Amino acid sequence: MATSANGYFERDVLVQAGPLICATTLALTAAFLGIVGIASGNAGGLVGRLPIYVLAGSVGFVAALLAAEHSQYYGREALVTAAVVGVVGFVMIGLGTEGVVYGLTNPDAVVASHLSAYLLSAAMIASGLGYWTVRNWRDVSSVMNKSGL
């Protein structure tokens, strides 16, 4: 946790992590709402927007490939990293956009049913877990290597 030796939160860590967690939470909420929109059959025009999502994923792939090649990753590691970034970018941009479209076209289904509060809660938990996992990656990877996951 972002605490100092005396147990109080360190302001600098909270200032840096707060906007990141908020942005991630909003993006995940939109993506979760996109899943609901697609699953409910209310994603009109999805096929027309799909090429834009593929283009966004491919731009993310190439950008990550170039960045990885000029960092500590080389060869297969760079390619795998870029592929993961491309796929995650495609999925998040696609689902996030569909979530925004669904929310704008069906505001009653989102607000009246309190769906947005549930999805926001799930996204906040996922953002917190993701942040904790990144901050404690060495511990997580050592547990995964020992247990064979």
Short mmCIF file of all heavy atoms in Angstrom, two decimals, residues 33 37 40 42-44 49 97-110:
data_model
loop_
_atom_site.label_atom_id
_atom_site.label_comp_id
_atom_site.label_asym_id
_atom_site.label_seq_id
_atom_site.Cartn_x
_atom_site.Cartn_y
_atom_site.Cartn_z
N LEU A 33 -20.11 -1.74 -19.89
CA LEU A 33 -21.38 -1.30 -20.45
C LEU A 33 -21.49 -1.72 -21.91
O LEU A 33 -22.57 -2.06 -22.38
CB LEU A 33 -21.53 0.22 -20.30
CG LEU A 33 -22.89 0.81 -20.54
CD1 LEU A 33 -23.94 0.17 -19.65
CD2 LEU A 33 -22.86 2.32 -20.30
N GLY A 37 -24.37 -3.87 -23.68
CA GLY A 37 -25.05 -3.43 -24.89
C GLY A 37 -25.01 -4.47 -25.99
O GLY A 37 -26.01 -4.73 -26.67
N SER A 40 -27.13 -7.58 -24.99
CA SER A 40 -28.58 -7.33 -25.02
C SER A 40 -29.10 -7.14 -26.44
O SER A 40 -30.31 -7.02 -26.64
CB SER A 40 -28.93 -6.10 -24.17
OG SER A 40 -28.40 -4.93 -24.76
N ASN A 42 -28.52 -4.52 -28.32
CA ASN A 42 -28.79 -3.10 -28.57
C ASN A 42 -27.56 -2.36 -29.07
O ASN A 42 -27.38 -1.19 -28.78
CB ASN A 42 -29.29 -2.44 -27.28
CG ASN A 42 -30.65 -2.94 -26.87
OD1 ASN A 42 -31.48 -3.24 -27.72
ND2 ASN A 42 -30.87 -3.04 -25.58
N ALA A 43 -26.72 -3.03 -29.84
CA ALA A 43 -25.51 -2.40 -30.37
C ALA A 43 -25.69 -2.12 -31.86
O ALA A 43 -24.94 -2.62 -32.69
CB ALA A 43 -24.30 -3.28 -30.11
N GLY A 44 -26.70 -1.33 -32.17
CA GLY A 44 -26.95 -0.99 -33.56
C GLY A 44 -25.78 -0.25 -34.17
O GLY A 44 -25.24 0.67 -33.58
N ARG A 49 -18.93 0.24 -37.28
CA ARG A 49 -17.83 0.81 -36.49
C ARG A 49 -16.66 -0.17 -36.31
O ARG A 49 -15.57 0.24 -35.92
CB ARG A 49 -18.36 1.24 -35.11
CG ARG A 49 -19.30 2.43 -35.16
CD ARG A 49 -19.71 2.88 -33.78
NE ARG A 49 -20.52 1.92 -33.06
CZ ARG A 49 -21.86 1.85 -33.12
NH1 ARG A 49 -22.51 2.70 -33.86
NH2 ARG A 49 -22.52 0.96 -32.42
N THR A 97 -16.24 2.17 -26.66
CA THR A 97 -17.07 2.98 -27.57
C THR A 97 -18.49 2.44 -27.62
O THR A 97 -19.46 3.21 -27.59
CB THR A 97 -16.45 3.01 -28.98
OG1 THR A 97 -15.12 3.51 -28.88
CG2 THR A 97 -17.26 3.87 -29.92
N GLU A 98 -18.62 1.14 -27.70
CA GLU A 98 -19.97 0.55 -27.70
C GLU A 98 -20.71 0.85 -26.39
O GLU A 98 -21.91 1.05 -26.39
CB GLU A 98 -19.90 -0.95 -27.96
CG GLU A 98 -19.48 -1.32 -29.35
CD GLU A 98 -20.35 -0.67 -30.43
OE1 GLU A 98 -21.59 -0.74 -30.33
OE2 GLU A 98 -19.77 -0.09 -31.36
N GLY A 99 -19.97 0.88 -25.29
CA GLY A 99 -20.59 1.23 -24.02
C GLY A 99 -21.09 2.66 -23.99
O GLY A 99 -22.19 2.93 -23.50
N VAL A 100 -20.31 3.58 -24.54
CA VAL A 100 -20.74 4.98 -24.60
C VAL A 100 -21.96 5.10 -25.51
O VAL A 100 -22.93 5.79 -25.17
CB VAL A 100 -19.58 5.88 -25.07
CG1 VAL A 100 -20.06 7.28 -25.38
CG2 VAL A 100 -18.47 5.92 -24.01
N VAL A 101 -21.92 4.45 -26.66
CA VAL A 101 -23.05 4.49 -27.59
C VAL A 101 -24.29 3.91 -26.93
O VAL A 101 -25.39 4.49 -27.01
CB VAL A 101 -22.71 3.75 -28.91
CG1 VAL A 101 -23.95 3.55 -29.77
CG2 VAL A 101 -21.65 4.51 -29.67
N TYR A 102 -24.14 2.77 -26.26
CA TYR A 102 -25.28 2.15 -25.59
C TYR A 102 -25.82 3.05 -24.48
O TYR A 102 -27.03 3.21 -24.33
CB TYR A 102 -24.87 0.79 -25.01
CG TYR A 102 -25.96 0.10 -24.23
CD1 TYR A 102 -27.08 -0.41 -24.87
CD2 TYR A 102 -25.86 -0.05 -22.85
CE1 TYR A 102 -28.08 -1.05 -24.16
CE2 TYR A 102 -26.86 -0.68 -22.14
CZ TYR A 102 -27.97 -1.18 -22.79
OH TYR A 102 -28.97 -1.80 -22.08
N GLY A 103 -24.93 3.65 -23.72
CA GLY A 103 -25.37 4.54 -22.64
C GLY A 103 -26.10 5.77 -23.16
O GLY A 103 -27.06 6.24 -22.54
N LEU A 104 -25.66 6.31 -24.30
CA LEU A 104 -26.31 7.49 -24.87
C LEU A 104 -27.64 7.15 -25.53
O LEU A 104 -28.57 7.96 -25.51
CB LEU A 104 -25.38 8.16 -25.88
CG LEU A 104 -24.14 8.82 -25.30
CD1 LEU A 104 -23.23 9.34 -26.42
CD2 LEU A 104 -24.51 9.95 -24.35
N THR A 105 -27.74 5.97 -26.13
CA THR A 105 -28.98 5.59 -26.82
C THR A 105 -30.00 4.94 -25.89
O THR A 105 -31.19 4.94 -26.21
CB THR A 105 -28.69 4.65 -28.00
OG1 THR A 105 -28.01 3.49 -27.52
CG2 THR A 105 -27.88 5.35 -29.06
N ASN A 106 -29.56 4.41 -24.77
CA ASN A 106 -30.47 3.75 -23.81
C ASN A 106 -30.21 4.23 -22.39
O ASN A 106 -29.89 3.43 -21.51
CB ASN A 106 -30.29 2.23 -23.87
CG ASN A 106 -30.59 1.66 -25.23
OD1 ASN A 106 -31.69 1.80 -25.73
ND2 ASN A 106 -29.59 1.04 -25.83
N PRO A 107 -30.35 5.53 -22.14
CA PRO A 107 -30.01 6.03 -20.80
C PRO A 107 -30.92 5.47 -19.70
O PRO A 107 -30.48 5.29 -18.57
CB PRO A 107 -30.17 7.54 -20.93
CG PRO A 107 -31.06 7.75 -22.09
CD PRO A 107 -30.82 6.60 -23.02
N ASP A 108 -32.17 5.17 -20.04
CA ASP A 108 -33.07 4.61 -19.03
C ASP A 108 -32.61 3.24 -18.55
O ASP A 108 -32.69 2.93 -17.36
CB ASP A 108 -34.49 4.51 -19.57
CG ASP A 108 -35.11 5.87 -19.82
OD1 ASP A 108 -34.62 6.85 -19.22
OD2 ASP A 108 -36.07 5.95 -20.62
N ALA A 109 -32.12 2.42 -19.46
CA ALA A 109 -31.67 1.07 -19.09
C ALA A 109 -30.43 1.13 -18.21
O ALA A 109 -30.22 0.25 -17.38
CB ALA A 109 -31.38 0.26 -20.35
N VAL A 110 -29.64 2.17 -18.38
CA VAL A 110 -28.40 2.27 -17.62
C VAL A 110 -28.63 2.92 -16.26
O VAL A 110 -28.14 2.44 -15.24
CB VAL A 110 -27.35 3.08 -18.43
CG1 VAL A 110 -26.10 3.31 -17.61
CG2 VAL A 110 -27.03 2.37 -19.72
#
